[in-house]
Amino acid sequence: MMARARLAAALILAMAILSCLRAESWDPCIQVVPNISYQCMELNLYKIPDNIPITTKMLDLSFNYLRHLGSHNFSSFPELQVLDLSRCEIKIIEDGTFQGLNHLSTLILTGNPIQSLAWGAFSGLSSLQKLVAVETNLVSLSDFPIGHLKTLKELNVAHNFIHSFKLPEYFSNLPNLEHLDLSNNKIQNIYYEDVKVLHQMPLLNLSLDLSLNPLDFIEPGTFKEIKLNGLTLRSNFNSSDVMKTCIQGLAGLKINRLVLGEFKNERKLKRFDRSFLMGLCNLTIEQFRIAYLGEFSGDDTDLFNCLANVSGISLLSISLGSLQALLKDFRWQHLEMINCDFEKFPALKLSSLKKFVFIDNKGISSFDEFQLPSLQYLDLKRNHLSFKGCCSHTDFGTTKLKHLDLSFNDVITLSSNFMGLEQLEHLDFQHSTLKQINAFSTFLSLRNLRYLDISYTHTRIVFHGIFTGLVSLQTLKMAGNSFQNNLLPDIFTELTNLTILDLSKCQLEQVSRTAFHFLSSLQVLNMSHNKLLSLDTHLYEPLHSLQILDCSFNRIMASKEQELQNLPRNLTWLNLTKNEFACVCEHQSFLQWVKDQRQLLVGAEQMMCAEPPDMKAMPVLSFRNATCQMSKTIISVSVVTVLLVTVVGVLVYKFYFHLMLLAGCKKYGRGESTYDAFVIYSSQDEDWVRNELVKNLEEGVPPFQLCLHYRDFIPGVAIAANIIQEGFHKSRKVIVVVSQHFIQSRWCIFEYEIAQTWQFLSSRAGIIFIVLQKLEKSLLRQQVELYRLLSRNTYLEWEDSVLGRHVFWRRLRKALLAGKPRSPDGTADAETDPQEATTST
């Protein structure tokens, strides 16, 4: 009895404490956009939170336990436009559940084991355009109460148990329906009665996806006179005979885009009888795509006869063997062959073809001429092709070509000057090996060319007239090549319209004094990763339009005082990092200029001294002009003193910044943060920070305010003071971008050590680690504390793929939203534990 009494008392006390808490203080939902968008996924919710604003337009309640949706369940959100109820264990949806949601355009019910769906479940959705009911135990479209949704454009009922393709009569009330996804259901047979509604009231823009259904039979005449925008049949047939029979059942269909074949990971048939395509003769097709079929049996000379009148055809991962000459009367305008197997280059003779894409194909090594008199766009990249004589109109059988891509191939011998190809506007040779480019003015006739890429083509520029004739060129990329005597000569005299020039990694040691004299329109110039010894600004003086100049990763020591005034007036971005600066009194004017031009210089804090030895690897900004005024006698007498003071200073410096940090935490600890996060990174990772991190976070939704040294630090204030006062004290969190460059940077490690102290001192602080690349453990173990932290804590890994990027930004945003004030009046500051990242060692 005593134990029960104590338990009851404890429960009463707990309930009393909980009753005193405001709902806002423990609401777990993440406010993505204040008063607009809220994310409440995976929070074990059994009902909709009470304190979500009435103005909410986007609400994500996925992965919760909302098993029963009653009448007017969402009437508190009249402005709602997108509602995600994926995998919420929903079993019952009553009449009027979504009543009042007049603005709702997207409703997602994926992955719910619905057992009871009332006929009025979707009433009130007068603006609904997209309904997703994937994996909802749906067995028939007739039982799906959506006949009143006149605004519906997309219906996705894939991955269900639908056995019949019969389209109910209510489809006649859906005039705006454009996409119906029935893929991965149980449909085996399609009869005329199933599509009767389409005969009575055609939906001209309707696209059907029936992929992954085990089709056995389509009644002949079922689709006769029916017009569809698209039909997809992939991985549907268990045999070539079944496939042939079903295609014959499509006779009479008029369709804009037909897709046949299989999926890469859903291969049912290894070999196909070419006769299955004969059934396409009875269809009217505008565009045709066939994907992931095995080898065709039989002769392929008339393989595509039934497709002679399509405007576009796409072949993906098809084994075609030796494709014979295609007939001249085919009216194809667009032909695409990607990742196919050939025995030799296809002999094409298509008079109407305008665009030919031939990428990543196998089994061929040499290029054969073809006759395509109307061709305007030709893409032959990544085929390992060799061209013995390139390029003229006789190679491609056309004089109308505007786009030519021969990149990522083997040896290309330029034996002609593009005779007959005068209309070319885009030409790409990158990562192919060019030969005879110096023999004569190869590009003389290309007066309309606007884009030329010869990067990494193993080209050594000797002939000064190599670019003669390119009077309209706007972009020239020639990175990764070389020049005679490592000298950039006067080879751009006719490129007066050039706006972008890439000369990176060309082993340049010198530049002709007049090399850039005719490039008055140039806006971007990349001279990085060369061997330049000085910043000779006289070279860039004629570039009146220049805005971006990259001279990083050279051997620049300094620039003369009189030359520093010659930089173009429009220059807004100058990168001099990773050079070999001499921090000596001889270059005092240049060093002072660096300090004065921090807004112009990108990563000025990462500009390091290479000389003298005592300043090696020290920031250029740390150079003090006062030392140059001291006499030699004073310097020699002060050496011992300076050494002693340095030792003491280092110790004081180390503890000074920690004390500074502690004082700042007390001063700013209770105030609001100016920034959402302070970013610590290596200058060599700056491109990623600018192009990926800043762009996605500051320009995204919601926007986050990042603290970046090159933009937000106060000029004239010591770097360390800026780091502490502007970086740590005014930021809610710290983002550490870890890479091999980061580990090797003393300055980055310093910032990281201060960040550790900051995290310890500030109760609201948090450090988010982002690993850009796989790190060598031997290199990582050099920084013991960092190695231990990465081994024991959660961090984010960057993966440059569509899925990887999506997951990365989603998790990073969730981490940054944790602790962010939920409303402008600051009444709710709920913390979220961002433990969603993947831990790895």
Side-chain angles (χ1 to χ4, degrees), residues 123-386:
S123 62
L125 298 178
S126 58
S127 301
L128 194 66
Q129 297 183 14
K130 180 177 180 179
L131 176 58
V132 181
V134 176
E135 295 184 43
T136 54
N137 291 337
L138 190 64
V139 297
S140 172
L141 288 175
S142 301
D143 299 331
F144 206 43
I146 60 172
H148 61 288
L149 301 178
K150 296 184 179 181
T151 59
L152 194 65
K153 291 184 177 181
E154 180 178 346
L155 175 60
N156 189 343
V157 288
H159 292 262
N160 278 295
F161 302 98
I162 300 174
H163 289 80
S164 172
F165 182 63
K166 184 174 180 58
L167 301 180
E169 291 295 329
Y170 65 68
F171 267 75
S172 60
N173 297 325
L174 306 177
N176 297 304
L177 191 63
E178 296 178 353
H179 185 81
L180 174 59
D181 191 342
L182 285 162
S183 61
N184 213 339
N185 274 280
K186 308 297 181 182
I187 300 172
Q188 291 181 292
N189 303 305
I190 299 178
Y191 301 101
Y192 180 87
E193 288 296 321
D194 294 340
V195 295
K196 188 176 181 180
V197 66
L198 295 182
H199 287 280
Q200 295 172 348
M201 183 179 179
L203 299 175
L204 301 181
N205 292 322
L206 182 62
S207 292
L208 291 173
D209 190 344
L210 295 174
S211 300
L212 296 168
N213 279 284
L215 291 179
D216 289 329
F217 175 73
I218 298 179
E219 183 180 1
T222 296
F223 289 93
K224 186 176 181 179
E225 300 301 327
I226 288 180
K227 295 181 180 179
L228 293 176
N229 184 53
L231 174 61
T232 302
L233 296 171
R234 298 181 67 175
S235 297
N236 291 98
F237 313 108
N238 290 320
S239 70
S240 294
D241 292 336
V242 173
M243 186 176 188
K244 182 178 179 180
T245 300
C246 289
I247 291 177
Q248 290 174 346
L250 297 175
L253 175 65
K254 298 179 180 180
I255 187 168
N256 180 53
R257 178 178 171 84
L258 176 62
V259 180
L260 294 178
E262 298 192 310
F263 292 101
K264 185 176 182 179
N265 298 322
E266 293 286 345
R267 309 293 289 269
K268 295 185 177 181
L269 301 176
K270 295 182 178 180
R271 193 171 184 86
F272 291 83
D273 183 351
R274 54 179 296 281
S275 62
F276 85 90
L277 289 177
M278 298 302 293
L280 299 178
C281 289
N282 299 318
L283 280 68
T284 303
I285 307 171
E286 187 65 24
Q287 300 177 44
F288 178 72
R289 180 180 179 89
I290 188 168
Y292 290 102
L293 291 183
E295 296 183 1
F296 284 87
S297 61
D299 188 11
D300 57 9
T301 50
D302 58 349
L303 181 63
F304 299 106
N305 282 354
C306 290
L307 299 170
N309 293 320
V310 303
S311 64
I313 184 167
S314 177
L315 308 177
L316 174 61
S317 295
I318 306 296
S319 297
L320 290 172
S322 57
L323 189 64
Q324 299 297 322
L326 296 175
L327 299 180
K328 295 181 180 179
D329 57 352
F330 281 15
R331 72 176 190 91
W332 297 353
Q333 295 184 22
H334 180 184
L335 174 59
E336 189 177 80
M337 298 178 176
I338 300 177
N339 197 31
C340 296
D341 289 332
F342 295 93
E343 293 179 1
K344 63 179 182 178
F345 197 89
L348 302 179
K349 295 181 180 180
L350 299 168
S351 59
S352 61
L353 195 66
K354 294 182 178 180
K355 184 175 182 179
F356 181 32
V357 177
F358 191 82
I359 300 175
D360 281 322
N361 294 292
K362 306 176 184 67
I364 52 176
S365 59
S366 61
F367 170 78
D368 293 329
E369 296 179 357
F370 45 68
Q371 296 297 319
L372 304 173
S374 301
L375 194 65
Q376 298 179 14
Y377 186 104
L378 177 58
D379 189 345
L380 298 175
K381 63 172 167 277
R382 293 198 299 270
N383 291 297
H384 303 287
L385 291 172
S386 294

Side-chain angles (χ1 to χ4, degrees), residues 175 178 217 308 447 556 560 576 591 618 636 706 752 781 830:
E178 296 178 353
F217 175 73
R447 304 184 68 83
I556 297 174
K560 296 179 181 179
L576 295 176
L591 298 174
M618 294 294 291
S636 58
L706 303 180
Y752 158 69
R781 288 194 179 100

Side-chain angles (χ1 to χ4, degrees), residues 2 24 72 126 137 149 205 258 262 340 360 408 423 441 447 466 496 524 527-528 604 807 811 840:
M2 290 293 294
E24 293 85 351
H72 294 77
S126 58
N137 291 337
L149 301 178
N205 292 322
L258 176 62
E262 298 192 310
C340 296
D360 281 322
F408 296 91
Q423 295 189 39
S441 298
R447 304 184 68 83
I466 184 173
T496 55
V524 179
M527 299 287 290
S528 65
V807 174
R811 296 165 69 189
S840 60

